[in-house]
Amino acid sequence: MLLIALQATGLNSNLYSWGFFAHKRINRIAVFTLPKPMFGFYKAYVDYVNEHSVDPDKRRHSVKDEAPRHYIDVDHFGIENVPHGWDSAVAKYSEDTLVAFGIVPWHVNKMYYWLVEAFKNKDRDQILRLSAEIGHYIADAHVPLHTTENYNGQLTGQKGIHAFWESRLPELFADDYDYFLPKAKFIRNPLERIWLAVSESHLALDSVLAFEKELTATFNEGEKYAYEERGVTVTKTYSREFSKAYHERLEGMVERRMRKAMHCIGSFWYSAWVEAGQPKLEDLIDESITKQYLREIDQEKKTWKKGRWLGRSEDE
């Protein structure tokens, strides 16, 4: 007899930013924005860049300092009040305060220069790891709910909206999105570019919350939620009808933020390569990854599976 666990006490909530599905797709499509001198290398490792796009979320089970790298609660300070430079921000608020409310733009900027060095050193393993992971954080910066203390609607009676917006909607509708993107462009100021992404995300936040609340008023409980089987588990989630109505009300917002993230990621990769002197990447193509690195990846997977969530959870 098949035993089915029924999770009736809460919504089916993917704890990971953008959800594994969306992060993987974002990184994969970003590869196709790259120019020819880079494309061959990234295409050879597209599965790696795709699969390891979710490593930063897996680390949130084992690394206590990981969570703040995924968001920044700019509404706590007022977005216009936050200095973009790290040193200036620390001088104004203190490092502890910044870490408490998120550091995603500064972490992306730091990773960018690590990636530049990896290209300069022609370090294939580091290029791949940093490319996959910076893609994750850049994608997170494109999510409106990663810019607010009300990250899961918990302050407005909308708990569950985080996974709804960035996991449920892409899983249902992303196959119909347009992924024809312009080629990656050189970024002259990486820090300002990622701050632009944060600012654009924050501007969309009011709509994310308001539209869901307005639609909720027109759906009863039985219409808004449904139970769906996932493997041997039945979970409570937002119904397809409510999801479709919300997705339509957003008028392409999720698609636009995904497309922006894809192009931004490709542009960061491209800019780091250019800044490193445009090293020839074809010589680095080798289908085998070093044994040591494979052991590290395997250990990280084991830690993730048995670990507990550290820091903020979008399910709170």
Side-chain angles (χ1 to χ4, degrees), residues 52-70:
H52 291 277
S53 65
V54 298
D55 285 358
D57 272 336
K58 293 179 179 180
R59 273 202 304 275
R60 292 175 69 173
H61 287 276
S62 57
V63 179
K64 68 182 181 64
D65 297 326
E66 178 62 37
R69 300 169 181 170
H70 297 248

Side-chain angles (χ1 to χ4, degrees), residues 98-118:
L98 294 176
V99 169
F101 294 99
I103 58 171
V104 64
W106 298 298
H107 189 63
V108 167
N109 189 58
K110 183 188 295 185
M111 289 195 73
Y112 171 79
Y113 289 104
W114 291 345
L115 183 56
V116 171
E117 288 303 308

Side-chain angles (χ1 to χ4, degrees), residues 49-303:
V49 173
N50 169 34
E51 290 300 318
H52 291 277
S53 65
V54 298
D55 285 358
D57 272 336
K58 293 179 179 180
R59 273 202 304 275
R60 292 175 69 173
H61 287 276
S62 57
V63 179
K64 68 182 181 64
D65 297 326
E66 178 62 37
R69 300 169 181 170
H70 297 248
Y71 59 85
I72 179 167
D73 299 338
V74 291
D75 54 359
H76 176 80
F77 309 99
I79 191 168
E80 69 282 357
N81 297 324
V82 184
H84 290 187
W86 174 253
D87 290 342
S88 297
V90 168
K92 185 172 183 178
Y93 296 114
S94 84
E95 183 170 347
D96 287 347
T97 299
L98 294 176
V99 169
F101 294 99
I103 58 171
V104 64
W106 298 298
H107 189 63
V108 167
N109 189 58
K110 183 188 295 185
M111 289 195 73
Y112 171 79
Y113 289 104
W114 291 345
L115 183 56
V116 171
E117 288 303 308
F119 277 124
K120 286 181 179 179
N121 296 330
K122 296 185 178 181
D123 186 335
R124 183 193 64 236
D125 291 353
Q126 283 290 78
I127 291 169
L128 290 173
R129 182 183 71 81
L130 291 167
S131 293
E133 294 193 8
I134 198 174
H136 181 103
Y137 298 112
I138 291 171
D140 281 355
H142 285 76
V143 176
L145 289 161
H146 278 250
T147 70
T148 176
E149 290 183 277
N150 191 26
Y151 51 86
N152 195 28
Q154 76 280 6
L155 304 179
T156 50
Q158 297 171 278
K159 189 174 180 180
I161 194 172
H162 198 119
F164 181 35
W165 190 96
E166 64 181 12
S167 295
R168 177 70 166 165
L169 296 184
E171 287 174 2
L172 289 175
F173 305 111
D175 284 345
D176 296 325
Y177 292 170
D178 176 11
Y179 298 117
F180 185 76
L181 298 172
K183 288 296 182 183
K185 294 182 178 180
F186 182 73
I187 299 170
R188 297 193 179 279
N189 190 325
L191 181 59
E192 288 304 316
R193 181 61 188 83
I194 196 63
W195 266 107
L196 175 62
V198 169
S199 298
E200 291 175 342
S201 294
H202 194 61
L203 283 173
L205 178 63
D206 285 350
S207 296
V208 169
L209 296 167
F211 293 164
E212 192 277 344
K213 189 171 284 288
E214 290 169 6
L215 277 175
T216 295
T218 68
F219 280 72
N220 62 44
E221 181 82 5
E223 295 170 331
K224 182 176 180 179
Y225 300 113
Y227 290 93
E228 293 186 356
E229 284 190 30
R230 295 204 174 194
V232 296
T233 303
V234 175
T235 58
K236 183 180 180 181
T237 188
Y238 293 89
S239 70
R240 291 175 181 267
E241 293 75 18
F242 186 80
S243 299
K244 183 175 184 293
Y246 183 51
H247 192 256
E248 291 175 351
R249 187 68 184 276
L250 290 170
E251 296 184 334
M253 181 194 292
V254 178
E255 178 180 1
R256 287 194 301 275
R257 298 315 290 157
M258 285 184 71
R259 283 171 53 86
K260 285 263 192 178
M262 293 165 184
H263 189 259
C264 188
I265 291 166
S267 295
F268 265 77
W269 293 342
Y270 170 61
S271 302
W273 174 74
V274 170
E275 192 161 342
Q278 303 182 36
K280 188 176 180 180
L281 299 179
E282 289 89 342
D283 296 341
L284 302 181
I285 297 176
D286 183 344
E287 294 303 323
S288 64
I289 305 292
T290 62
K291 292 182 179 180
Q292 175 61 30
Y293 197 53
L294 284 172
R295 284 197 294 270
E296 291 175 4
I297 293 171
D298 184 60
Q299 183 57 44
E300 189 169 273
K301 285 182 179 178
K302 290 178 180 177
T303 302

